Amino acid sequence: MTLTDDMERHLDGWETVHSSRPWGEHPSEDLIRFIVRRYRDLSDRSAIRIVDIGCGPGANLSFLAREGFTLAGIDASDTAIVTARRRLQEAGIKINDTRLDLRQGNFAALPWPDESFDLAIDMESIYANPMAVIRSCINDAHRVLKPGSVFFGKMFGVKTTGHGTGEIYETNTSRDPSEGPCGGFGFAHFFTREEIEDVFSEFSILSIDWLHRTDKGGTVSIFEWIVTATK
């Protein structure tokens, strides 16, 4: 089976996930913190165009819409996009408004021109791919950012429960980890710091932070890299 075949099956799996369960009603706390710090004193937030890569059913977009930003989002799941549109309508953003552009598609080939965005965000979506696809996703995120603009993202690290389980597809990439936060969602890549530095090498400035916590009474370990990369 080729990588293309693998990815088609993987993307179909995300449609199954989004069409069969509730998902993502609240934004990432780390995203909220980043947005507040970066744009606290900005009076006209509609001038800032943000793309949410792997937007899912719109949890982050709903938060950003209420904050007044101009938004774009992409997800592999059509059901996720339908749900995101509904949530944004509920937040008062009209579907045909010039402040909203949602697409169903592949993260590795973003459907926007060069230098379209002031900020690109990824809250643990790009990780769910083999490394070749991850590189394409990040390179294309770099392409659609304006010079001096920022990519802000979260990725799982190798200290996360589930690393090394399931079918080992390549180094640090599993298909269907058998446990942990990535279990049951197809491909999952667990990053080392060196891999983060490598895949973001095209950016001019890279800041790497991390969080390490437990869940479910200490039985699950979750290690997350928090990446701020400036073009």
Side-chain angles (χ1 to χ4, degrees), residues 93 102 181 206 216:
I93 303 298
L102 297 185
L206 180 62
K216 299 184 178 180

Side-chain angles (χ1 to χ4, degrees), residues 62 65 74 131 143 188 219-220 222:
S62 295
I74 186 168
M131 181 54 79
R143 178 186 64 80
T219 61
V220 173
I222 301 175

Side-chain angles (χ1 to χ4, degrees), residues 31 45-46 48-56 58-62 64-65 68-75 81 84-85 88 93 95 97-104 107 110-113 116-122 144-145:
L31 176 63
R45 293 184 175 182
S46 67
I48 301 299
R49 193 170 185 223
I50 301 175
V51 58
D52 187 357
I53 300 171
C55 63
N60 297 320
L61 291 172
S62 295
L64 293 167
F69 296 99
T70 295
L71 304 173
I74 186 168
D75 200 273
I81 293 297
R85 288 183 184 277
L88 287 165
I93 303 298
I95 295 302
D97 197 311
T98 57
R99 289 178 51 214
L100 176 63
D101 182 6
L102 297 185
R103 314 279 185 99
Q104 186 276 330
F107 309 166
L110 298 174
W112 293 285
S116 294
F117 296 102
D118 302 285
L119 174 66
I121 63 172
D122 163 41
V144 301
L145 283 170

Side-chain angles (χ1 to χ4, degrees), residues 134-179:
I134 288 169
R135 289 184 185 279
S136 295
C137 292
I138 293 171
N139 289 342
D140 221 42
H142 182 276
R143 178 186 64 80
V144 301
L145 283 170
K146 300 173 184 177
S149 296
V150 170
F151 176 102
F152 180 74
K154 289 174 66 176
M155 292 90 175
F156 292 105
V158 294
K159 296 179 182 178
T160 300
T161 298
H163 173 246
T165 68
E167 176 191 342
I168 305 303
Y169 186 83
E170 61 190 3
T171 302
N172 295 329
T173 304
S174 297
R175 194 204 310 265
D176 296 323
S178 59
E179 56 185 342

Side-chain angles (χ1 to χ4, degrees), residues 5-227:
D5 293 333
D6 284 333
M7 289 306 301
E8 287 180 358
R9 187 176 73 172
H10 177 56
L11 296 177
D12 287 344
W14 279 107
E15 173 60 23
T16 300
V17 168
H18 283 293
S19 62
S20 62
R21 57 174 288 179
W23 190 275
E25 296 184 14
H26 305 288
S28 163
E29 293 179 12
D30 301 293
L31 176 63
I32 294 171
R33 187 177 299 111
F34 173 83
I35 292 295
V36 169
R37 288 174 176 173
R38 186 171 180 85
Y39 299 110
R40 184 194 309 271
D41 299 322
L42 184 65
S43 57
D44 182 14
R45 293 184 175 182
S46 67
I48 301 299
R49 193 170 185 223
I50 301 175
V51 58
D52 187 357
I53 300 171
C55 63
N60 297 320
L61 291 172
S62 295
F63 159 67
L64 293 167
R66 288 191 294 272
E67 293 296 309
F69 296 99
T70 295
L71 304 173
I74 186 168
D75 200 273
S77 166
D78 187 63
T79 295
I81 293 297
V82 169
T83 303
R85 288 183 184 277
R86 175 177 56 78
R87 288 181 176 174
L88 287 165
Q89 281 183 312
E90 292 170 354
I93 303 298
K94 297 178 181 178
I95 295 302
N96 293 323
D97 197 311
T98 57
R99 289 178 51 214
L100 176 63
D101 182 6
L102 297 185
R103 314 279 185 99
Q104 186 276 330
N106 189 339
F107 309 166
L110 298 174
W112 293 285
D114 297 357
E115 301 182 4
S116 294
F117 296 102
D118 302 285
L119 174 66
I121 63 172
D122 163 41
M123 297 292 102
E124 294 172 336
S125 293
I126 289 177
Y127 88 92
N129 289 287
M131 181 54 79
V133 179
I134 288 169
R135 289 184 185 279
S136 295
C137 292
I138 293 171
N139 289 342
D140 221 42
H142 182 276
R143 178 186 64 80
V144 301
L145 283 170
K146 300 173 184 177
S149 296
V150 170
F151 176 102
F152 180 74
K154 289 174 66 176
M155 292 90 175
F156 292 105
V158 294
K159 296 179 182 178
T160 300
T161 298
H163 173 246
T165 68
E167 176 191 342
I168 305 303
Y169 186 83
E170 61 190 3
T171 302
N172 295 329
T173 304
S174 297
R175 194 204 310 265
D176 296 323
S178 59
E179 56 185 342
C182 307
F185 298 125
F187 284 117
H189 185 85
F190 301 86
F191 287 86
T192 65
R193 185 185 183 94
E194 291 75 19
E195 287 174 330
I196 294 287
E197 292 171 346
D198 180 44
V199 297
F200 285 95
S201 61
E202 192 174 357
F203 287 78
S204 63
I205 303 172
L206 180 62
S207 175
I208 304 173
D209 294 298
W210 53 268
L211 293 172
H212 197 181
R213 61 185 177 88
T214 60
D215 197 7
K216 299 184 178 180
T219 61
V220 173
S221 179
I222 301 175
F223 186 101
E224 298 167 305
W225 297 108
I226 301 175
V227 177

